[in-house]
C-alpha cells in the first residue's frame, strides 16, 4: 500500500496525459476558432455540433469503462488499451484538422462532424483506461498525489506543444495556406502523441489487481449511483471542466477583439501554461501536512475571485498576464486534487460495496466531463452566434464584446464558487482514506 513509485514510472504515466492534451487542448482552445475563421463554418452550427457530438460521446464513456473492468490480459485491465489504441488516436487528431479546401460548405460541415466525432471516440477509448490506471498503480495517498502532480505537469507540457506552438508551426509550414498549415502542424503533434502513449505503456505497472467484473452492466451502474461520494465528485468534475473550456474557448476571441491584437495570444497562453505547471507542482507541496479538501477549497475560491476581478480590470497586457498566471495556477491545483479524489472514490466504493469498479467510476466521471465540455463548448458557440459576433470583423458590437469578456472572466468565476459549495459534501479526507486502506490490508490478511 505504501510502496514508493520511481520517478521513471511517474514520468511514464504522465506522458500518457501529455499525449491526451496534445489533442484535447487543441479542441478546447483552437478548434472553434479554426472552424469559424479558417474553415468558414457558422458559429451556431459549431456550438450545436459540439453539444450533440460530446453528448453522444458521453453516452459511450460508461460502456468503455465497463468494458475495461471486464478486460483481463497479461498487462492488466487498463494498460493494453494504450498499446492497442495509440496509433488510432494519433490518426484521429490529425484528421480533425484536415478539412479539405475544395469542399462545399455542407461537405465541410459533414467532414468536420465525422472527423471530430472520430477523434472524441478515440480519446474516450484510450483515455478512460489511462485515467483508471491512476487508481491501480498505487493505493498510497501521498504517492497518488505525487503521481497526479507529475501527470498534470507533463500534461501542461503537452498543452504547450498543442497550443503555444500550434500557430507558429502552422504559419511556418503553410504560410498563406492556413488549412495546409494547421493540417501538417497537427500531424507532427499527433505522431508525438502516439509515441508518448507507447512509452507510457512500457514504463507503468498495475499493482492493485481486482477480479474482472462479471456483473450485468446495469447492476454496476446502480451500485455506482449509490456511491454518494461519486455524486459529489461528479459535480466537481462538471464545474471544473466548464471553468476551463469556457475560459480558454473565449481566449482567442478575447485577445483578438478586446485586446485588439491576435499576436498577444501567445503572451496569455504562455502565462496559462506556466501557471498550470506551477499549480501541478504546488498541489504536491501544499498538501504536505494539510488536508487536500482544505487546499482544494482555498484554490477554488482564489481562482473564482481573480477570474471575476479580470472583468473589472483595465486593459493592461502585463496585468492580464499576471492574472492569467495566477488563475491558471489555482485552477490547476483544483484539477490535480480532483483526480486524486476520483481514485479515492474507487477505494471508497470497494470498501462500502465490496466491489471494485475503477473503469466504471472513471468512465462515468469522464462522461460527466464530456457533458461539461459539450455544454460549455455549446455555450461559447451559441453565445457568440446570438450576440451578433461577426468572424474576422474589424470591430465587434458592444453586445458581442461584453459576451466575449464575460465568457473569459465572470462565467468561470461563478463556476469556481459553485465547486466550493459542492465540496462541503465530500467526506473522503486523509484520515478516512487511511482507515479504508487499513481495512483493506486487514481483509487481505484474513483471506
Amino acid at each position: 500500500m505504501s510502496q514508493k513509485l520511481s520517478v521513471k514510472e511517474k514520468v511514464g504515466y504522465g506522458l500518457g496525459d501529455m499525449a491526451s492534451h496534445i489533442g484535447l487542448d487543441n479542441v478546447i482552445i483552437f478548434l472553434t476558432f479554426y472552424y469559424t475563421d479558417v474553415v468558414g463554418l457558422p458559429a451556431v452550427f459549431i456550438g450545436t455540433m459540439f453539444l450533440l457530438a460530446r453528448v453522444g460521446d458521453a453516452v459511450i464513456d460508461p460502456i468503455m469503462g465497463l468494458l475495461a473492468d471486464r478486460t483481463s490480459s497479461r498487462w492488466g485491465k487498463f494498460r493494453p488499451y494504450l498499446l492497442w489504441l495509440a496509433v488510432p488516436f494519433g490518426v484521429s487528431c490529425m484528421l480533425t484538422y484536415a478539412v479539405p479546401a475544395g469542399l462545399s460548405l455542407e461537405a465541410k460541415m459533414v467532414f468536420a462532424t465525422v472527423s471530430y466525432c472520430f477523434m472524441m471516440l478515440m480519446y474516450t477509448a484510450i483515455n478512460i483506461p489511462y485515467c483508471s490506471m491512476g487508481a491501480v498503480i498505487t493505493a498510497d495517498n501521498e504517492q497518488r498525489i505525487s503521481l497526479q502532480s507529475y501527470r498534470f505537469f507533463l500534461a501542461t507540457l503537452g498543452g504547450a506543444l498543442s497550443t503555444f506552438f500550434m500557430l507558429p508551426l502552422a504559419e511556418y509550414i503553410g504560410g498563406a495556406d492556413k488549412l495546409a498549415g494547421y493540417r501538417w502542424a497537427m500531424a507532427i503533434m499527433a505522431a508525438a502523441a502516439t509515441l508518448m502513449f507507447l512509452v507510457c505503456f512500457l514504463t507503468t505497472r498495475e499493482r492493485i489487481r481486482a477480479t474482472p467484473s462479471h456483473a450485468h452492466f446495469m447492476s454496476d451502474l446502480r451500485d455506482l449511483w449509490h456511491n454518494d461520494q461519486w455524486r459529489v465528485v461528479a459535480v466537481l468534475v462538471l464545474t471544473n471542466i466548464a471553468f476551463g473550456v469556457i475560459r480558454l474557448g473565449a481566449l482567442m476571441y478575447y485577445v483578438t477583439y478586446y485586446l485588439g491584437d491576435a499576436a498577444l495570444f501567445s503572451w496569455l497562453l504562455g502565462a496559462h501554461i506556466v501557471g498550470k505547471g506551477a499549480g501541478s507542482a504546488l498541489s504536491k507541496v501544499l498538501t504536505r501536512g494539510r488536508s487536500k479538501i482544505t487546499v482544494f477549497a482555498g484554490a477554488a475560491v482564489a481562482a473564482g475571485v481573480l477570474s471575476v476581478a479580470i472583468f473589472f480590470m483595465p486593459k493592461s497586457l502585463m496585468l492580464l498576464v499576471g492574472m492569467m498566471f495566477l488563475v491558471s495556477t489555482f485552477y490547476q491545483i483544483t484539477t490535480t486534487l480532483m483526480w486524486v479524489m476520483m481514485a479515492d472514490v474507487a477505494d471508497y466504493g470497494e470498501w462500502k460495496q465490496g466491489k471494485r469498479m475503477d473503469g466504471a467510476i472513471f468512465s462515468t466521471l469522464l462522461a460527466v466531463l464530456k457533458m461539461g465540455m459539450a455544454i460549455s463548448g455549446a455555450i461559447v458557440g451559441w453565445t457568440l452566434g446570438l450576440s451578433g459576433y461577426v468572424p474576422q470583423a474589424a470591430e465587434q458590437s458592444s453586445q458581442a464584446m461584453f459576451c466575449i469578456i464575460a465568457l473569459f472572466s465572470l462565467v468561470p468565476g461563478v463556476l469556481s464558487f459553485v465547486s466550493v459549495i459542492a465540496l462541503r459534501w465530500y467526506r473522503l479526507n486523509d484520515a478516512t482514506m487511511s482507515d479504508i486502506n487499513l481495512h483493506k490490508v486487514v481483509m487481505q490478511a484474513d483471506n
Side-chain angles (χ1 to χ4, degrees):
M1 291 297 174
S2 60
Q3 181 176 5
K4 186 174 178 63
L5 302 179
S6 68
V7 172
K8 176 183 176 182
E9 186 167 11
K10 292 175 184 177
V11 170
Y13 180 70
L15 286 176
D17 214 24
M18 190 175 184
S20 295
H21 276 261
I22 285 178
L24 185 63
D25 283 24
N26 252 294
V27 168
I28 293 174
I29 297 178
F30 279 121
L31 198 58
T32 302
F33 188 83
Y34 168 78
Y35 281 151
T36 57
D37 287 44
V38 178
V39 179
L41 302 181
V44 173
F45 162 77
I46 295 165
T48 303
M49 181 192 77
F50 281 170
L51 177 62
L52 296 179
R54 288 171 181 168
V55 167
D57 188 50
V59 173
I60 297 172
D61 281 7
I63 299 174
M64 187 63 215
L66 294 167
L67 177 63
D69 275 335
R70 286 156 177 77
T71 300
S72 178
S73 78
R74 62 192 179 100
W75 299 305
K77 283 186 177 183
F78 309 116
R79 280 181 65 223
Y81 288 96
L82 307 184
L83 178 64
W84 299 335
L85 298 175
V87 173
F89 174 75
V91 171
S92 72
C93 291
M94 181 184 67
L95 290 176
T96 305
Y97 282 86
V99 179
L103 300 180
S104 65
L105 178 62
E106 291 76 14
K108 288 179 179 178
M109 289 169 134
V110 171
F111 188 96
T113 301
V114 172
S115 60
Y116 176 74
C117 288
F118 178 55
M119 185 265 178
M120 293 307 295
L121 177 62
M122 289 300 98
Y123 175 81
T124 294
I126 198 169
N127 200 251
I128 285 174
Y130 168 78
C131 292
S132 301
M133 280 174 57
V136 297
I137 290 177
T138 178
D140 184 271
N141 184 65
E142 183 178 341
Q143 290 300 303
R144 276 183 174 172
I145 294 174
S146 179
L147 186 69
Q148 296 297 337
S149 295
Y150 273 85
R151 170 191 173 183
F152 282 105
F153 182 81
L154 288 167
T156 300
L157 294 182
L161 284 173
S162 181
T163 55
F164 191 77
F165 296 107
M166 184 67 170
L167 291 180
L169 189 57
E171 185 176 345
Y172 175 78
I173 295 174
D177 188 349
K178 292 185 177 181
L179 283 173
Y182 273 92
R183 181 185 306 121
W184 290 109
M186 193 63 225
I188 293 171
M189 295 179 183
T194 300
L195 180 61
M196 290 171 192
F197 266 126
L198 294 175
V199 173
C200 180
F201 166 78
L202 292 171
T203 55
T204 53
R205 177 184 164 200
E206 295 184 18
R207 292 177 178 81
I208 300 175
R209 297 288 183 133
T211 304
S213 176
H214 300 291
H216 192 275
F217 279 12
M218 293 307 297
S219 174
D220 280 356
L221 292 177
R222 280 194 299 270
D223 288 340
L224 193 63
W225 179 251
H226 290 132
N227 186 327
D228 57 304
Q229 296 305 287
W230 178 92
R231 298 196 298 268
V232 176
V233 173
V235 176
L236 298 180
V237 169
L238 183 63
T239 54
N240 180 274
I241 193 62
F243 182 108
V245 170
I246 293 175
R247 177 172 173 253
L248 295 180
L251 178 57
M252 192 67 181
Y253 300 95
Y254 184 83
V255 297
T256 301
Y257 298 107
Y258 177 65
L259 298 183
D261 186 358
L264 298 179
F265 176 81
S266 60
W267 283 86
L268 292 182
L269 182 60
H272 168 70
I273 291 170
V274 174
K276 285 183 67 178
S280 298
L282 282 173
S283 61
K284 180 181 178 181
V285 175
L286 293 175
T287 50
R288 289 174 183 164
R290 299 182 186 88
S291 166
K292 61 179 175 287
I293 300 175
T294 302
V295 175
F296 185 106
V301 170
V305 171
L306 292 172
S307 293
V308 172
I310 289 174
F311 183 83
F312 302 98
M313 277 176 23
K315 194 184 297 185
S316 165
L317 176 61
M318 289 299 100
L319 188 57
L320 283 169
V321 166
M323 291 292 278
M324 189 76 177
F325 167 80
L326 290 173
V327 173
S328 297
T329 297
F330 289 118
Y331 170 68
Q332 189 65 14
I333 291 171
T334 64
T335 301
T336 302
L337 296 180
M338 180 186 74
W339 284 91
V340 176
M341 292 173 178
M342 290 186 194
D344 290 347
V345 168
D347 291 339
Y348 172 75
E350 183 182 20
W351 169 72
K352 183 179 181 181
Q353 299 165 316
K355 185 177 180 182
R356 190 167 188 94
M357 300 185 295
D358 299 282
I361 286 170
F362 278 90
S363 64
T364 49
L365 289 174
L366 280 170
V368 173
L369 185 147
K370 299 283 184 61
M371 289 294 292
M373 287 180 65
I375 296 169
S376 304
I379 286 173
V380 173
W382 289 341
T383 302
L384 291 174
L386 296 175
S387 69
Y389 168 77
V390 180
Q392 300 182 3
E395 186 175 345
Q396 298 293 339
S397 67
S398 59
Q399 183 177 355
M401 191 65 70
F402 173 85
C403 289
I404 288 171
I405 299 170
L407 286 171
F408 181 67
S409 56
L410 290 181
V411 176
V414 171
L415 289 166
S416 194
F417 297 142
V418 172
S419 71
V420 177
I421 296 172
L423 194 64
R424 63 174 298 189
W425 285 278
Y426 183 78
R427 297 186 287 107
L428 302 182
N429 56 34
D430 295 346
T432 300
M433 291 310 302
S434 294
D435 290 342
I436 290 174
N437 283 328
L438 179 60
H439 177 267
K440 189 186 304 182
V441 172
V442 171
M443 292 297 295
Q444 289 175 350
D446 290 343
N447 293 331

